[in-house]
Amino acid sequence: MYLGIDCGTQGTKVILLDSQQKKVLGVGYASHELIENSAGRREQNPQWWIDALISAFNQVIQQAQINPTLIKGIGVSGQQHGLVMLDEQDQPLYQAKLWCDTETAFENQEFINLLGGEEQAFARLGIVPQTGYTASKILWFKKHFPEQYKRIAKIMLPHDYLNYWLTGEFCMEYGDASGTGFFDVIHRQWHLEVFNLLAPELEANKVLPPLRSAQQKAGVVRAEIAKLLGLSEQVLVASGGGARWRDSSHVGKWRRRIDQLM
């Protein structure tokens, strides 16, 4: 059996698939609140995603009436571009600014100017950074919360935060990284020169997660989480990505990826 999790803007969905019967055994959903204002602010508390995941998971198990230890693997997809910043104790330094947050439009133009304009930005990165990307959110945070900015120990996306909570492994999938604004899409690696222009006060090799392909696992469920959810401690978590599903066929894709890792 395999578990699919999708952390979207409005809520978190969980689906349980029996791969042998090729049948969906349960579906759960829990909504998220949204912090917003007329300036374009769109933020969420990362804890809300965890709470929603647990709620939706419990709905699925109750609906399916199965022993959670039968679950073999988990695949997480989630909203991209958002910014989650953790301190040395792995505590969020601020709310997560989401992909749909437009409060950082000025900072995005400031970032493009740092790169020498749109043509130079495209030449360096293979893309022209957009307001919804992660980069402008970092500039915004530095400007408005300089003391907290100095305490950044980890930078990740909402999807990575869930994988980190599940496994304790700090990593990011290439597709997710491509929407940050400081990833070299040609060479498939962090563009350290660009990141140092964006955030010269931060150590890129420390605060940016190691990159992994969609065929690699994020890790194995932590013992603490296995106990909380009633899972086996051998459950694999796929690296996942930003894609979302509307039916069980997408969970099948996660299952095939997890099978490749076994």
Coordinates of all heavy atoms in Angstrom, one line a residue, residues 205-246:
N205 N 26.2 26.9 1.0 CA 26.4 25.5 1.2 C 25.8 25.0 2.5 O 25.6 23.8 2.6 CB 27.9 25.2 1.2 CG 28.5 25.3 -0.2 OD1 27.8 25.1 -1.2 ND2 29.7 25.8 -0.3
K206 N 25.4 25.9 3.4 CA 24.8 25.5 4.6 C 23.3 25.6 4.6 O 22.6 24.7 5.0 CB 25.4 26.4 5.8 CG 24.7 26.1 7.1 CD 25.2 27.1 8.2 CE 24.4 26.9 9.5 NZ 24.9 27.9 10.5
V207 N 22.8 26.8 4.0 CA 21.4 27.0 4.1 C 20.6 26.4 3.0 O 19.4 26.3 3.1 CB 21.1 28.5 4.2 CG1 21.8 29.2 5.4 CG2 21.5 29.3 2.9
L208 N 21.2 26.1 1.9 CA 20.5 25.5 0.7 C 20.6 24.0 0.8 O 21.6 23.4 1.1 CB 21.1 26.0 -0.6 CG 21.0 27.5 -0.9 CD1 21.6 27.8 -2.2 CD2 19.6 28.0 -0.8
P209 N 19.5 23.3 0.6 CA 19.5 21.8 0.7 C 20.2 21.1 -0.5 O 20.2 21.7 -1.6 CB 18.0 21.5 0.7 CG 17.3 22.6 -0.1 CD 18.1 23.9 0.2
P210 N 20.8 20.0 -0.2 CA 21.3 19.1 -1.3 C 20.2 18.8 -2.3 O 19.0 18.6 -1.9 CB 21.8 17.9 -0.6 CG 22.0 18.3 0.9 CD 21.0 19.4 1.1
L211 N 20.5 18.7 -3.6 CA 19.6 18.5 -4.6 C 19.5 17.0 -5.0 O 20.5 16.3 -5.0 CB 19.9 19.3 -5.8 CG 19.9 20.8 -5.6 CD1 20.5 21.5 -6.8 CD2 18.4 21.3 -5.4
R212 N 18.3 16.5 -5.3 CA 18.0 15.1 -5.6 C 17.1 15.0 -6.8 O 16.2 15.9 -7.0 CB 17.5 14.3 -4.4 CG 18.4 14.4 -3.2 CD 18.0 13.5 -2.1 NE 18.9 13.6 -1.0 CZ 18.7 13.0 0.2 NH1 17.7 12.3 0.4 NH2 19.6 13.2 1.2
S213 N 17.2 14.0 -7.6 CA 16.3 13.8 -8.7 C 15.0 13.1 -8.2 O 14.9 12.6 -7.1 CB 17.0 12.9 -9.7 OG 17.1 11.5 -9.3
A214 N 14.0 13.1 -9.1 CA 12.7 12.5 -8.7 C 12.8 11.0 -8.5 O 12.0 10.4 -7.9 CB 11.7 12.8 -9.8
Q215 N 13.9 10.4 -9.0 CA 14.1 8.9 -8.9 C 14.8 8.6 -7.6 O 14.9 7.4 -7.2 CB 14.9 8.4 -10.0 CG 14.2 8.3 -11.4 CD 14.0 9.7 -12.0 OE1 14.8 10.5 -11.9 NE2 12.8 9.9 -12.6
Q216 N 15.3 9.6 -6.8 CA 15.9 9.3 -5.5 C 14.9 9.5 -4.4 O 14.0 10.3 -4.5 CB 17.1 10.3 -5.4 CG 18.2 10.0 -6.3 CD 19.3 11.1 -6.2 OE1 19.2 12.2 -6.5 NE2 20.5 10.6 -5.6
K217 N 15.2 8.8 -3.3 CA 14.3 8.9 -2.1 C 14.8 10.1 -1.3 O 15.9 10.5 -1.3 CB 14.4 7.7 -1.3 CG 15.8 7.4 -0.6 CD 15.7 6.1 0.2 CE 17.1 5.8 0.8 NZ 17.1 4.6 1.6
A218 N 13.8 10.7 -0.6 CA 14.1 11.7 0.4 C 14.7 11.1 1.6 O 15.6 11.6 2.3 CB 12.9 12.5 0.7
G219 N 14.2 9.9 2.0 CA 14.7 9.2 3.2 C 13.7 8.2 3.6 O 12.8 7.8 2.9
V220 N 13.8 7.8 4.9 CA 12.9 6.9 5.6 C 12.2 7.6 6.7 O 12.8 8.5 7.3 CB 13.7 5.7 6.1 CG1 12.8 4.7 6.8 CG2 14.4 5.0 4.9
V221 N 11.0 7.3 6.9 CA 10.2 7.9 8.0 C 10.9 7.8 9.3 O 11.4 6.8 9.7 CB 8.8 7.3 8.1 CG1 8.1 7.8 9.4 CG2 8.0 7.7 6.9
R222 N 11.0 9.0 10.0 CA 11.7 9.0 11.3 C 10.9 8.1 12.3 O 9.7 8.0 12.2 CB 11.7 10.4 11.9 CG 12.6 11.4 11.1 CD 12.7 12.7 11.8 NE 11.5 13.5 11.8 CZ 10.9 14.1 12.8 NH1 11.5 14.0 14.0 NH2 9.8 14.8 12.7
A223 N 11.6 7.6 13.3 CA 10.9 6.7 14.3 C 9.8 7.5 15.0 O 8.8 6.9 15.3 CB 12.0 6.2 15.3
E224 N 10.1 8.7 15.3 CA 9.1 9.5 16.1 C 7.8 9.7 15.2 O 6.7 9.6 15.8 CB 9.7 10.9 16.4 CG 8.7 11.9 17.0 CD 9.4 13.3 17.2 OE1 10.5 13.4 16.9 OE2 8.6 14.2 17.6
I225 N 7.9 9.9 13.9 CA 6.8 10.1 13.1 C 6.1 8.7 12.8 O 4.9 8.6 12.8 CB 7.2 10.7 11.7 CG1 7.8 12.1 12.0 CG2 6.0 10.9 10.9 CD1 7.0 13.0 12.8
A226 N 6.9 7.7 12.7 CA 6.3 6.3 12.5 C 5.4 6.0 13.7 O 4.3 5.5 13.6 CB 7.4 5.3 12.4
K227 N 5.9 6.3 14.9 CA 5.1 6.1 16.1 C 3.8 6.9 16.2 O 2.8 6.4 16.5 CB 6.0 6.3 17.4 CG 5.3 6.0 18.7 CD 6.2 6.3 19.9 CE 5.5 6.0 21.2 NZ 6.4 6.2 22.4
L228 N 4.0 8.2 15.8 CA 2.8 9.1 15.8 C 1.7 8.6 14.9 O 0.5 8.7 15.2 CB 3.3 10.5 15.4 CG 2.2 11.6 15.2 CD1 1.6 11.9 16.6 CD2 2.8 12.8 14.6
L229 N 2.1 8.2 13.7 CA 1.1 7.8 12.7 C 0.8 6.3 12.6 O -0.1 5.8 11.9 CB 1.6 8.2 11.3 CG 1.9 9.7 11.1 CD1 2.4 10.0 9.7 CD2 0.6 10.5 11.4
G230 N 1.6 5.5 13.4 CA 1.3 4.1 13.5 C 2.0 3.3 12.3 O 1.6 2.2 11.9
L231 N 3.0 3.9 11.7 CA 3.6 3.4 10.5 C 4.8 2.5 10.9 O 5.3 2.5 12.0 CB 4.2 4.5 9.6 CG 3.2 5.5 9.1 CD1 3.9 6.7 8.4 CD2 2.3 4.8 8.0
S232 N 5.2 1.6 9.9 CA 6.5 0.9 10.1 C 7.6 1.9 10.0 O 7.5 2.9 9.3 CB 6.6 -0.1 9.0 OG 7.9 -0.6 8.8
E233 N 8.7 1.6 10.6 CA 9.9 2.4 10.6 C 10.7 2.2 9.3 O 11.7 2.8 9.1 CB 10.8 2.2 11.8 CG 10.2 2.7 13.1 CD 11.1 2.6 14.3 OE1 12.3 2.4 14.0 OE2 10.6 2.7 15.4
Q234 N 10.2 1.4 8.4 CA 10.9 1.1 7.1 C 10.2 1.8 6.0 O 10.6 1.6 4.8 CB 11.0 -0.4 6.8 CG 12.0 -1.2 7.6 CD 11.6 -1.4 9.1 OE1 10.4 -1.8 9.3 NE2 12.4 -1.0 10.0
V235 N 9.3 2.7 6.2 CA 8.5 3.4 5.1 C 9.4 4.3 4.4 O 10.0 5.3 5.0 CB 7.3 4.1 5.7 CG1 6.6 4.8 4.6 CG2 6.3 3.1 6.4
L236 N 9.5 4.2 3.1 CA 10.3 5.1 2.3 C 9.5 6.3 1.9 O 8.3 6.2 1.7 CB 10.7 4.4 1.0 CG 11.8 3.3 1.0 CD1 12.1 2.7 -0.3 CD2 13.1 3.9 1.6
V237 N 10.2 7.4 1.8 CA 9.5 8.7 1.4 C 10.3 9.1 0.1 O 11.5 9.3 0.1 CB 9.6 9.8 2.4 CG1 9.0 11.1 1.9 CG2 9.0 9.3 3.7
A238 N 9.5 9.2 -1.0 CA 10.1 9.6 -2.3 C 10.4 11.1 -2.2 O 9.9 11.8 -1.4 CB 9.1 9.4 -3.4
S239 N 11.3 11.5 -3.1 CA 11.7 12.9 -3.1 C 10.5 13.8 -3.5 O 10.4 14.9 -3.1 CB 12.9 13.2 -4.1 OG 12.6 12.8 -5.4
G240 N 9.6 13.3 -4.3 CA 8.4 14.0 -4.7 C 8.7 15.1 -5.6 O 9.7 15.2 -6.3
G241 N 7.8 16.1 -5.6 CA 7.9 17.2 -6.5 C 6.7 18.2 -6.4 O 5.9 18.1 -5.5
G242 N 6.7 19.1 -7.3 CA 5.6 20.1 -7.2 C 4.3 19.8 -8.0 O 3.4 20.5 -7.9
A243 N 4.3 18.6 -8.7 CA 3.1 18.2 -9.5 C 2.0 17.9 -8.5 O 2.2 17.4 -7.4 CB 3.4 17.1 -10.4
R244 N 0.8 18.1 -9.0 CA -0.4 17.7 -8.2 C -1.2 16.7 -8.9 O -1.1 16.6 -10.1 CB -1.3 19.0 -7.9 CG -0.5 20.1 -7.2 CD -1.4 21.2 -6.9 NE -0.6 22.3 -6.3 CZ -1.1 23.4 -5.7 NH1 -2.4 23.5 -5.7 NH2 -0.3 24.3 -5.2
W245 N -2.0 15.9 -8.2 CA -2.8 14.9 -8.8 C -4.3 15.2 -8.6 O -4.7 15.8 -7.7 CB -2.5 13.5 -8.3 CG -2.6 13.3 -6.9 CD1 -3.8 13.2 -6.2 CD2 -1.6 13.2 -5.9 NE1 -3.6 13.0 -4.9 CE2 -2.2 13.0 -4.7 CE3 -0.2 13.2 -6.0 CZ2 -1.5 12.8 -3.5 CZ3 0.5 13.0 -4.9 CH2 -0.1 12.8 -3.6
R246 N -5.1 14.7 -9.6 CA -6.5 14.7 -9.4 C -7.2 13.4 -9.4 O -8.4 13.2 -9.2 CB -7.1 15.5 -10.6 CG -6.7 17.0 -10.6 CD -7.4 17.8 -11.7 NE -6.9 19.1 -11.7 CZ -7.4 20.1 -10.9 NH1 -8.3 19.8 -10.1 NH2 -6.9 21.3 -11.0

